Every structure is written in C-alpha cells, then in structure tokens.
Amino acid sequence: MLHNRYQYAGGEDSVVQAEKALLEEKGHQVELIEVSNNDIVGMKGRINAAFSAIYSPASKHYVSQAIAHFCPDVVHIHNFFPLLSPSVYDACKIYQLPVVQTLHNYRLGCPNAMLFRNNTACEDCLGKKIAWSGILHACYGGSHVQSTVAAAMLAVHWQRGTWHKSVDAYIALTAFQKERMVQAGLSREKIHIKPNYIPDPQSLNITKTNGEYALFVGRISPEKGISTLLNAYLQNSLQIPLKIAGTGPLLESLQASIQSAGLGDVIQFLGQQDKIAVMQLMCNARFLIFPSIWYETFGLTIVEAFACSLPVLASNWGSMAEIVENNVTGLHFQAGSSTDLANKIRWAYEHPEEMICMGKNARSTYEALYTFEHNYQQLIAIYQAVIDK
C-alpha cells in the first residue's frame, strides 16, 4: 500500500489504516509505505514538492526498492499527491505488478480534488485537457502557483496516458463518484464501486439510548456546511440541543457568534474527540446532521452513525443522497439551505418514534453493506481480478 498523508489527519488516513488492519487480520502480509506532507518545510520544501508532484524520480526509486524487498502480489495506491507522485506507477511497471488505485477524492478531475469552489459545487475542470479554470481561480491552496502545479500534474499524465495505462483497477466509493470520474475521463470498465467500512461499535459495549440532542461530527470548515447548520439555529430560533464534535479553521469565529447570540446553552462545542468518544456521542444522540455543501466522496461519519442505529439528516446531493435514503435511514434537506435544514431538524426532534424506526433501518443498512466481512470480500475480489488479468 502507498499513501501520502495529509498535514491534517482525516477520513482518508483512517481508511488506509483500517484496510491494512482488515487484510492483516485475514492473514495477508501488508507493507504500508507512507510519506507525509508535514515533511514539506520552508520555501525550499515547497519548491521541491512542486517538482515532485508532477514526477519524482526519488519516489520511483524508493518504491522500486520496497517492491524488490517485499515482492508483493499487488500494489494498492491510496494517495500519491504531492510527494510520491505518479512516478510510483512506473516503479510498479518495472516489476509488471498489478495496480489498484482508490479514488478517495476527485483529484484526477479537479486541481483541488473536491469539485468545490466559492462555497458551491464546481465541475468546470472535469474532462478538460488542462484545468485552466482551476488555475484562474487559484483553486488549490488559494495559490495560482500551487494550482498551476496541480493542473500541470493532471495535464502531463492525461497526455502521457498514465491514468489509462498504469492503473489496472480504480475503486470509487459510490456510484455518484464513479460517474464523475468517468466524466473526468477514466474508463468506466476499470472503476469498481467499493464503499469504506467501519468496525462494529457493538464490540465496544456502548449502551444505546434515545438521546435528547442533535449531533454534528466533522471538520469545522466551510465545505462541511457547518455555517448552514449554525444559521439554521441563528435564523430560526431553534432551541433543540446540539453537540458539535470537531475542530477546524472556523471554530473560534463560530463559537463567538453562538455566544453573542445567546445560544451558548443550546449549542455545545466539544472540540476534537477520539473514535470511542464519537461512538458514545452517536449512541446517545437523537440524530446526526451531515450538512456538507460539497459532493463528498463518501462520508464515513454517516456510516459510523448507521452502525450506531443513528438516523442522519443529510444534504440532498452527491454521495450523501446516495448513502442516506430519504425517509428510510434519515432525511434529506436542500444543500446549503438553513431554512430547509431547520424545518427537518424540528420535524426529526418532534417525531422520535419515526426517527427510532429510521435508526433501525440505518443499522440494517450498515450490516448489509458496510461491515468488515463484506468489505473484505469486495476488496479481495478486486485484487484477484487484477492479478488474474
């Protein structure tokens, strides 16, 4: 497995560790090669990273040596950007190894990997030979230079045929994501849909209650729709208890807004919580609110809620609308609409029996689609297919 870690740990990093543990528990030998964006220090580091993002001979050599030493049957690439770079595909090609690539984001069709600009979904660069729009709007890191590097990496390797010739199978996390990546230019036949999984929280022996609060778990940042959620409270006089678990760049300003509005007793900011604490919060909540205003590639938090028999109020687009079935495992609301979200929060809180029923459906969905064993069988089938080919 190859993975370039981000500076701020997120769901992708957790998935990599989870899949490694899953395979090892089933008796497979796994070597995880990781680099970290924390190694990008100072101007010299940023310049080196810019060149590495397009093609890194050093990473190719590093991975080649690891392959020669470990002799794998298959190489699974999770994230190559920016330090590993697409050069790692060439390292695999030297040894004629099958390559699987998980599409944790929309990187191969979008310079900032999110299909998101100016607080709304954006598909301007999908399918374009050169992502001029991403460069013009400085979509990656708010920098024209960094955006040019990201766009150049994409353009070079689309032209080179890397994404077609060097990857035997892609893993998309939802059908919605698959369609966007086909639109970007990937071969439909090569893309397999395999969602992420989470360990069953019932093994933690956490008591399930019908809680009295709504819950948000996630990064306190614009794309997660946290402003939509808090505006639902501020603009509609909601008094339903809300707990917010997470941290991020908007945390301090939003806390100040809530205090000045006199909602400090209604909305509680809990800060970053570990996984067990999150599971406990979910088992004691009335429902989870997932208000993202970007497409999301999966939404691991939704599946965590399902595993805890917790229904979800989710934005009505992207992968969220695919995972959460309206009026079955939760409720949809219009993405970005604080008014619609406020109405759904009120309804959910005033109809506890219906929400309990949706919670049971959510748990059944988890057991059918997102368990350890189901995920393992899907992953091994993909590996075996590329090995056989």
Side-chain angles (χ1 to χ4, degrees), residues 187-312:
S187 169
R188 180 181 297 277
E189 292 69 29
K190 281 191 174 183
I191 304 177
H192 303 255
I193 299 174
K194 183 196 75 65
N196 295 325
Y197 87 99
I198 67 156
D200 193 338
Q202 289 188 353
S203 64
L204 302 175
N205 295 318
I206 298 173
T207 302
K208 172 68 178 174
T209 64
N210 296 320
E212 294 302 315
Y213 59 85
L215 178 65
F216 171 93
V217 176
R219 182 165 163 76
I220 313 299
S221 55
E223 74 279 1
K224 291 297 184 179
I226 184 67
S227 295
T228 301
L229 171 56
L230 295 187
N231 284 336
Y233 274 75
L234 292 170
Q235 297 171 6
N236 297 276
S237 303
L238 290 182
Q239 295 295 313
I240 295 164
L242 171 66
K243 294 182 185 290
I244 296 175
T247 188
L250 298 183
L251 178 60
E252 291 185 6
S253 63
L254 293 178
Q255 282 180 312
S257 297
I258 293 305
Q259 289 298 326
S260 64
L263 289 174
D265 293 335
V266 177
I267 300 175
Q268 183 180 6
F269 289 87
L270 305 176
Q272 193 69 34
Q273 300 289 308
D274 63 31
K275 192 61 65 179
I276 294 178
V278 168
M279 293 295 105
Q280 184 69 69
L281 286 166
M282 287 184 171
C283 286
N284 293 335
R286 183 78 66 92
F287 48 84
L288 179 81
I289 303 173
F290 199 90
S292 280
I293 55 174
W294 76 292
Y295 282 149
E296 295 277 353
T297 48
F298 186 66
L300 196 63
T301 304
I302 294 176
V303 175
E304 290 173 338
F306 282 9
C308 295
S309 301
L310 185 66
V312 178

Side-chain angles (χ1 to χ4, degrees), residues 2-43:
L2 305 181
H3 183 51
N4 193 135
R5 293 180 65 89
Y6 298 103
Q7 285 182 311
Y8 300 100
E12 184 173 327
D13 298 319
S14 299
V15 168
V16 173
Q17 294 296 331
E19 287 195 355
K20 179 176 183 289
L22 177 152
L23 290 164
E24 289 176 331
E25 186 164 328
K26 288 291 189 176
H28 301 281
Q29 290 179 287
V30 183
E31 180 167 332
L32 174 60
I33 296 174
E34 284 189 306
V35 298
S36 173
N37 286 355
N38 289 325
D39 296 333
I40 304 173
V41 179
M43 180 60 69

